[in-house]
Amino acid sequence: MNVPIELKVKPKYITQYKNKYPLISKDAILNPDVLEREGSIVHLVGDNNQFVAKGYYGKQNKGIGWVLTHKKGERIDFPFFKTKISEAINKRQAFYEDESTNAFRVFNGEGDGIGGLTIDCFAGYYLINWYSEGIYTFKDQVIRVLDELIKYQAIYEKKRFDTKGKYINDDDFVKGMRGEFPVIVKENGMNYAVHLNDGAMVGIFLDQRDVREAISIKYADGKKVLNTFSYTGAFSVAAALGGAEKTTSIDLAKRSKSKTIEQFSVNGIDYEKQDIIVMDVFDYFKYATRHNMKFDMVILDPPSFARSKKRTFSAAKNYPELIKDSISITEKNGIIIASTNNSSFGMKKFKGFVADAFREMNTKYAILEEFSLPEDFHVDRNFPQGNYLKVLVVRKTD
Ligand code: SAH
């Protein structure tokens, strides 16, 4: 048995860890240099070395590890992983039983008690995301737990960390029966094509499920819809199935076109009746404005940061401009759906962006509805940053 490494917490951070904040940040630790091997078990200790919490060492973009327990005697072993994962599965029973949806998050990192690890289910194919080399050292235990707790077609994985500066992305298959991709998953009766062995992104973002449903059921009927930063066009599909008159999908990535055709096709929608354009969104706004084009619904779902040839976009800085551009091509009484996954600001600030943009455009608006993460993306109440998704449905009222 390895002796746990003692990490001395700086006095001003002690209360935060006593209050169950889960992320171990380098700034909070007096002696981070004692850390050597990722996956090592660490004890956070206070003055006089008194025990505060136990976790593991694993470097991510934020933090150097996660707290796993506040019980000194609890071991981080197979039963630990089995308990956490089985509690998570129990919380998703409604999803396992729902016949119209078979793609959902089974385990959501710190929200389910183990930061750095997520597990998604796509029609019986399971996808594990490992966010550090440290959490990856527990792979055998996690796979054994899945073997004992669930029936699966296959398990795939994404190692979302660097090893010696190289992103590992050869074969993501772990075990079971290799899938034939795309696998077609169901979400509230809609179909989505998913590829588990083709890069970090699989074709659909599960956290937008409730937004896709709302678009389809409440907002799209009879509308001209512009879907910007469209990726595989998942929002366009929801809109088309919801009766949109026409959808226009804009994404800079060349691959997005064939991927969007695929998503329409697995839903029996004639993609030739939709517009799918490979273009910089900001150029498209200029084009649409110049041609006096107007839409009944504009969907904005940019990445937190994006660099194209001409410009860098940062959600925290440039979102108001994006909304302003959208206001000018949205019909009166039209709808703007503004989404961001940037965890560096909260809903209040995001609403402020909307307010600023409409004020500067001298236009009135009403917020009709707001969304955050869906139920299966369980959030740790001591780590509100984990609730990164913010979506506003806004009506332009004049
Ligand atoms: N809305 C999508 C997810 C968007 S992911 C969905 O629901 O599935 C972000 C996408 O933005 C990526 O596909 C990326 O290629 C695209 N992107 C980034 N910068 C862009 C730009 N300047 N113009 C158009 N697309 C851009």
Side-chain angles (χ1 to χ4, degrees), residues 252 254 278 280 282-283 306-313:
L252 193 58
K254 288 206 180 66
V278 175
D280 189 310
F282 301 99
D283 290 336
R307 204 163 291 157
S308 62
K309 282 186 200 116
K310 286 171 228 159
R311 63 152 89 207
T312 10
F313 172 85

Side-chain angles (χ1 to χ4, degrees), residues 201 203-205 208 212 227-235 250-253 256 279-282 299-303 305-308 311 313:
M201 303 205 290
I204 184 152
F205 289 100
Q208 297 277 16
R212 285 187 286 269
N227 180 13
T228 64
F229 306 93
S230 56
Y231 178 44
T232 67
F235 287 133
I250 313 286
D251 198 290
L252 193 58
S256 66
M279 192 173 190
D280 189 310
V281 162
F282 301 99
I299 302 169
L300 305 171
D301 184 27
F305 297 97
R307 204 163 291 157
S308 62
R311 63 152 89 207
F313 172 85

